[in-house]
Amino acid sequence: MLILHRPDPLPSEITPPEVYGARRSFLRSLSVGIGAASFGLLGESHGAPVERVRFDTVTPGPFSAVDEKPTPYTSVTEYGNFYEFGPDKDSPARNAHRLRTRPWTISVEGEIRRPKTFAIEDILKWAPLEERIYRMRCVEGWSAVIPWVGIPLTELIKRCEVTGNAKFVEFWSLADPEQMPYVRFPFLDWPYIEALRLDEAMHPLALLGLGMYGEHMPKQNGAPLRVVVPWKYGFKGAKSIVKVRFVEKQPPTVWTKAAPDEYGFYSNVNPDVPHKRWSQSHERRLGEFFRRKTQPFNGYGDQVAGLYAGMDLRKNF
Ligand code: MTE
């Protein structure tokens, strides 16, 4: 018997429970305290015209999944998570127009020889912009094939003059309640901070994402720059980053703080390790009907499995 899966999962299936639960209490507090009309104040709107700007020159980069069809632009830009702009999958597309992406700088802190700040205009000139077509897998079960534009993340790290003590690197997203209305509500511990082991961040697959589909990064996808690590669940890729901090010890992250038994520090895509409440064995590409099997390390095992040699990936999930 052929069992068809629903093409679109229920919100309760695809939204982390802490966010789903927080949304209900948040909505309750709105109706009791502030009133539904206040959605206007929170910046809820039906989107604003987006300015799409193409890069002049983008060269094909390595590791691209060129045999796979990129997911349609609208699926990737209209469905996603960027909780600073709201808890629903279409909240980022509706609300991220409030983000101001110029001027934009990244500050560098922690285990480095001297504090530094980099401006986005300079970062854009560091290395040739590459197109890398990566398979991406969200922990909630959906996936996409995205033609990213970016430069290797090491281009940033090698300019930071890290000390020998640095073993991990944190990526801090902007958390400005003026531009990001939902940062006023503590359903996550803002700012959104994700982290990688330093050798993971320096792996040639790890990208500093500056755009997609040949264009500058759409605001809802993390403009003007974000982290892209395709062998890990999507939440490891912090959007709209403003700070990089090098540390000696494995740091807590936004998701290990929210639900440590559900979201591990490593979060490598692993079909054999189920999430506490659902299987990770299959995924559904945005825009497709049938599910497909999820691959270990999201299909990038040949490149990255060596980073985890000798580690128990069930314990270090
Ligand atoms: N970064 C920030 N700052 N805030 C977020 O809510 N969501 C994460 C990640 N980065 C998130 C974030 C999650 S859960 C996913 S699946 C991906 O962004 C989604 O990125 P995309 O919309 O570009 O696919």
Side-chain angles (χ1 to χ4, degrees):
M1 191 176 68
L2 182 66
I3 300 173
L4 299 180
H5 292 286
R6 268 192 312 276
D8 290 302
L10 295 168
S12 55
E13 284 178 332
I14 57 178
T15 303
E18 43 288 335
V19 172
Y20 191 65
R23 169 170 46 203
R24 291 213 211 135
S25 51
F26 164 68
L27 290 173
R28 237 188 342 263
S29 76
L30 265 190
S31 57
V32 175
I34 318 172
S38 298
F39 271 117
L41 293 176
L42 287 172
E44 289 279 347
S45 72
H46 295 289
V50 279
E51 206 196 333
R52 294 175 58 175
V53 184
R54 285 200 81 75
F55 288 110
D56 292 337
T57 320
V58 176
T59 54
F63 311 114
S64 284
V66 282
D67 51 332
E68 299 207 44
K69 207 167 108 237
T71 302
Y73 176 88
T74 46
S75 304
V76 173
T77 54
E78 291 177 10
Y79 185 96
N81 293 323
F82 200 165
Y83 293 118
E84 290 87 332
F85 291 104
D88 295 310
K89 297 298 168 210
D90 61 347
S91 305
R94 281 190 287 119
N95 299 326
H97 61 88
R98 297 175 58 125
L99 182 66
R100 291 188 300 274
T101 58
R102 295 293 187 281
W104 194 278
T105 54
I106 295 194
S107 62
V108 186
E109 292 180 7
E111 290 292 345
I112 49 167
R113 287 189 218 297
R114 58 190 76 89
K116 287 188 180 199
T117 303
F118 300 118
I120 181 70
E121 290 79 5
D122 296 326
I123 295 171
L124 281 161
K125 290 183 219 143
W126 280 348
L129 294 177
E130 293 176 13
E131 177 168 85
R132 303 228 188 150
I133 306 167
Y134 281 170
R135 292 179 292 276
M136 304 298 293
R137 170 65 154 80
C138 179
V139 73
E140 298 162 0
W142 45 276
S143 64
V145 177
I146 302 182
W148 297 104
V149 176
I151 59 175
L153 197 49
T154 34
E155 290 293 334
L156 169 64
I157 294 168
K158 75 184 187 195
R159 287 170 171 84
C160 294
E161 296 184 77
V162 296
T163 70
N165 295 334
K167 300 282 181 297
F168 294 86
V169 51
E170 299 174 350
F171 300 95
W172 294 47
S173 297
L174 179 71
D176 176 4
E178 293 308 314
Q179 302 175 63
M180 301 169 139
Y182 286 79
V183 165
R184 290 180 208 152
F185 303 96
F187 57 90
L188 287 175
D189 187 4
W190 312 111
Y192 192 105
I193 301 173
E194 262 304 339
L196 299 170
R197 223 171 54 194
L198 193 55
D199 59 341
E200 297 180 308
M202 294 175 75
H203 189 279
L205 261 179
L207 204 65
L208 192 58
L210 297 155
M212 48 166 63
Y213 299 86
E215 301 174 358
H216 287 248
M217 192 68 79
K219 292 184 176 180
Q220 60 267 41
N221 296 94
L225 79 176
R226 63 171 292 174
V227 173
V228 178
V229 273
W231 69 97
K232 292 179 177 283
Y233 292 116
F235 66 83
K236 293 299 287 183
K239 296 178 168 182
S240 305
I241 56 170
V242 289
K243 192 194 286 191
V244 175
R245 192 165 159 263
F246 294 89
V247 294
E248 194 173 352
K249 301 223 161 59
Q250 182 180 305
T253 67
V254 64
W255 289 107
T256 61
K257 281 189 272 184
D261 52 342
E262 303 195 7
Y263 307 103
F265 177 84
Y266 283 95
S267 288
N268 294 317
V269 174
N270 192 340
D272 298 330
V273 176
H275 183 274
K276 203 173 143 201
R277 284 167 297 109
W278 61 80
S279 161
Q280 292 291 22
S281 66
H282 287 73
E283 65 197 64
R284 192 173 60 78
R285 286 271 157 86
L286 293 181
E288 289 182 4
F289 192 77
F290 293 105
R291 294 184 196 217
R292 53 175 82 210
K293 277 191 165 171
T294 288
Q295 303 300 316
F297 299 108
N298 204 23
Y300 296 99
D302 286 351
Q303 286 81 34
V304 300
L307 290 171
Y308 311 102
M311 280 175 67
D312 182 344
L313 296 177
R314 286 183 177 272
K315 281 201 191 119
N316 296 286
F317 62 90

